[in-house]
Structures are given as C-alpha cells and as structure tokens.
C-alpha cells in the first residue's frame, strides 16, 4: 500500500474531525452540538446514502449481477450475525453494544472501497462496474444487525412478542425508512431528476459528515473509561474479525464465479467496518450503545489496519480462492 495513500486517508477531514471531537471533550471544552441538530445530521446522511445507492443500481441489468447479488444477499445476513455473536458471547458486550458492533462490522467503509478498487486496478485485475451498486446494497446489513439486537433484547427482557412484530418494529425504524426508502427513490427518479437534488444530497454530504464525526468523537471521549475495560479485546476483534469476513466473502464470491478483481473488492469491503452511515443508524436505534466501543474500534483500529495491511491481505485471499475454486 503506497504511503501517500495511507497518509491521505489518515489525515482526511473525517478522521481529523473525529479526533478533534475527542480532544475537545478531553480538555473540557464548552463545544457542544445540540441534540436536535445531531438528529438532522443523521437523517440527512442516511437518506443521502440511500439516494446515491439507488442511482448506482438504476442502470444495472439483473442478469449481469445475479451471481454477485446472491453473494451480497448472503453476506448481508452472515457478516452482522458473525460479528454480533462474537461481540455478545465472546467479548461479553451487552445487547445494545453488540448490535452496534455488528452494524459497523456488517456494513462497509466507503474509503476502503475506493482504496481496494484502486488497488485492484493497480494489479491489473479491475472490478466489474456493477460492483459499486452491490456495495451500496451491503448497507442493508446495518438493518439486519439492528434486527438481531432488537430480537435478542426482546427475548432477554422476557417479552413474548412474535418474530413478525419484532421485524415490523425494525422495519418502522428510521434507519430502514431512510436507507431503504432512499434506495427506492434514487432508483426510480432517474438521472435527470437526481441532478436537481445532487447539489444538496451529494455536494454537502462530506461537510455534514465531518460535523457528525466531530460529535461522535465528543461522545466517544465521554465514554473512554468504558472502552478501556474492553480495549485489548476490541483491538484483537478489530483486526481478526475483518480477516474472517474477508476470507468468507472472497471465497463465496469466487465460488459464485466472480472474476478476481470483483471478488477481491467485495472481500475488502466485507472486511472493512463502517464509520459513516452505521453510527447514525446505531445512535438512532440504540442510544444507550457506547460509541467509544463500536466507533473507536472501527475508526481507530480496523480503518488504519485495513489501509496498511488488510487490503493487500484480502487480495492474497482472493488469489488463494481463485487457485482453489477458480476455473
């Protein structure tokens, strides 16, 4: 991985805003973002991601993505399930925090996606164009993780609600309404209509994201003592869990017949952890979940690990599976 690529991403406004938020809290600054504003940020980010994902999928022919779509569907359910089970029963986190971890590690990092796509091209094995749309669909894993959390919480509280009731409660949550609704709207309105709202939902996206990460850094710093209790375990999780996800995803993609470049990129994003959209959904659904646990692990451990070691390692996994399963 080129050093300039690593430095460019580590000193990005997103990462630095998160660190500034932590510093502001640690030095007891009076910096504060009102809660209603934070909710507006979360709504904007989730809906914008849905709209953009719908646009990316709008022009895709189903026959061209059938195998890839089957792989993504399996990953949407498997990745958050694996992360949730490990967080809940190995790390011994409570249900809300386990669901938060599962949402971030079941979803994807857009930065890792861009880096892995570039890496594949540098190796002479570019991904297929439709993979961008498939990666957008992997955001739905956030909702699956939140459902796992709601279902487990209802059982631990002794509630006897039917599975369908828990599912409907999850479907009514703002996460699905905004992400899922945005995907549908983005796919239906067409490119011409999308350009009319693009200046607001696309051009302003990074700026709003920076402010959101500033607040998340402040929240994380307020709970650093709690992260310290599970820090070493989360550090190990933040390195090993991505490799498990990457190996599983590249294996499934290769088995489904996807070419090396596409299988690698899907594996790399499966190995990544979200720090953009998933935190907003987790905060909205499980406000008691601790960002110092799930966000610090994602942004402070997995993110730099993937850029330095993870992406090249996943490429080697894809090469291995090509040798074993490839035609």
């Amino acid at each position: 991985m080129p050093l300039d690529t690593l430095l460019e991403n580590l000193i990005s406004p997103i990462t630095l805003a998160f660190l500034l938020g932590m510093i502001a809290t640690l030095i007891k600054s009076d910096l504060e973002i009102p809660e209603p504003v934070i909710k507006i940020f979360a709504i904007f980010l989730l809906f914008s991601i849905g709209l953009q994902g719908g646009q990316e999928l709008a022009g895709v022919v189903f026959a061209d993505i059938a195998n890839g779509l089957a792989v993504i569907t399996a990953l949407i359910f498997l990745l958050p399930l694996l992360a949730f089970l490990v967080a809940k029963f190995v790390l011994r986190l409570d249900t809300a925090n386990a669901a938060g971890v599962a949402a971030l590690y079941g979803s994807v990092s857009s930065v890792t996606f861009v880096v892995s796509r570039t890496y594949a091209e540098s190796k002479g094995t570019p991904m297929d164009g439709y993979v961008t749309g498939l990666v957008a669909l992997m955001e739905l894993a956030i909702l699956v993780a939140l459902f796992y959390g709601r279902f487990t919480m209802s059982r631990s509280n002794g509630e006897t609600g039917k599975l369908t009731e828990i599912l409907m409660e999850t479907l009514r949550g703002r996460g699905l309404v905004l992400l899922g609704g945005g995907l549908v709207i983005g796919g239906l309105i067409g490119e011409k209509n999308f350009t009319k709202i693009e200046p607001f939902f696309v051009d302003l996206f990074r700026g709003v994201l920076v402010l959101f990460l500033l607040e998340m850094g402040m929240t994380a710093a307020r709970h650093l003592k709690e992260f310290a209790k599970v820090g070493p375990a989360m550090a190990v999780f933040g390195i090993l869990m991505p490799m498990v996800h990457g190996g599983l995803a590249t294996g499934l993609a290769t088995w489904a017949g996807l070419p090396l470049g596409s299988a690698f990129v899907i594996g790399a994003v499966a190995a990544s952890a979200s720090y953009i959209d998933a935190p907003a959904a987790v905060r909205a659904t499980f406000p008691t979940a601790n960002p110092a646990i799930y966000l610090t692990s994602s942004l402070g451990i997995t993110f730099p690990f993937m850029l330095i070691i993870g992406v090249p390692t996943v490429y080697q996994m894809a090469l291995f599976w090509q040798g074993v399963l490839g035609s």
Side-chain angles (χ1 to χ4, degrees):
M1 179 66 61
L3 180 60
D4 56 347
T5 300
L6 172 63
L7 292 176
E8 180 181 353
N9 287 295
L10 289 180
I11 63 173
S12 69
I14 294 172
T15 307
L16 293 179
F18 179 77
L19 294 175
L20 177 60
M22 294 189 70
I23 293 172
T25 297
L26 293 175
I27 65 175
K28 299 183 179 179
S29 168
D30 61 358
L31 176 64
E32 181 181 0
I33 300 178
E35 186 66 27
V37 177
I38 298 170
K39 290 182 179 180
I40 292 174
F41 288 166
I43 291 171
F44 172 85
L45 292 172
L46 290 170
F47 192 51
S48 177
I49 290 167
L51 286 171
Q52 294 180 57
Q55 267 294 293
E56 291 167 350
L57 286 173
V60 175
V61 179
F62 177 78
D64 295 337
I65 66 170
N67 289 347
L69 185 59
V71 172
I72 294 302
T73 302
L75 293 177
I76 286 172
F77 289 94
L78 286 175
L79 298 184
L81 178 61
L82 288 174
F84 181 77
L85 292 176
V86 172
K88 177 73 174 174
F89 298 106
V90 178
L91 299 180
R92 302 292 183 180
L93 298 180
D94 60 74
T95 300
N97 280 306
V101 169
L104 268 67
Y105 283 85
S107 185
V108 299
S109 161
S110 58
V111 175
T112 304
F113 170 60
V114 173
V115 172
S116 61
R117 181 177 61 185
T118 304
Y119 190 86
E121 292 171 353
S122 71
K123 292 292 185 179
T125 54
M127 70 175 199
D128 293 323
Y130 64 80
V131 173
T132 299
L134 296 181
V135 169
L137 284 178
M138 291 183 72
E139 303 289 357
L140 295 176
I142 300 170
L143 307 174
V144 175
L146 299 181
F147 171 74
Y148 291 154
R150 286 181 180 273
F151 179 77
T152 303
M153 194 171 288
S154 69
R155 290 298 181 263
S156 63
N157 292 338
E159 300 175 5
T160 57
K162 296 180 180 180
L163 182 63
T164 53
E165 295 176 354
I166 300 170
L167 178 60
M168 287 306 299
E169 183 181 358
T170 303
L171 293 177
R172 287 192 293 264
R174 77 178 70 177
L176 180 57
V177 171
L178 293 170
L179 275 177
L183 276 170
V184 173
I185 294 174
L188 290 176
I189 61 177
E191 184 176 355
K192 183 177 180 180
N193 285 323
F194 184 75
T195 57
K196 298 177 182 178
I197 60 175
E198 188 173 4
F200 182 76
F201 284 106
V202 178
D203 296 347
L204 296 181
F205 182 85
R206 288 285 171 180
V208 174
L209 176 62
V210 167
L211 291 175
F212 182 76
L213 264 294
L214 174 67
E215 192 280 332
M216 293 303 290
M218 295 164 61
T219 302
R222 287 193 289 267
H223 299 86
L224 277 180
K225 289 184 179 180
E226 295 179 38
F227 178 77
K229 297 177 182 178
V230 294
M234 285 304 300
V236 175
F237 176 92
I239 293 174
L240 293 184
M241 201 74 234
M243 293 297 93
V244 173
H245 285 175
L248 173 64
T250 52
L252 284 176
T254 303
W255 178 71
L258 273 65
L260 174 60
S262 297
F264 156 63
V265 172
I266 289 175
V269 295
S272 69
S274 172
Y275 55 85
I276 296 178
D277 47 343
V282 172
R283 185 180 180 86
T285 308
F286 294 106
T288 60
N290 184 0
I293 294 176
Y294 61 80
L295 187 56
T296 305
S297 174
S298 169
L299 189 57
I301 299 171
T302 302
F303 175 65
F305 168 76
M306 285 302 299
L307 292 184
I308 299 171
I309 300 173
V311 168
T313 302
V314 174
Y315 189 81
Q316 294 302 314
M317 291 179 178
L319 285 173
F320 168 78
W321 285 121
Q322 282 289 327
V324 174
L325 302 172
S327 55

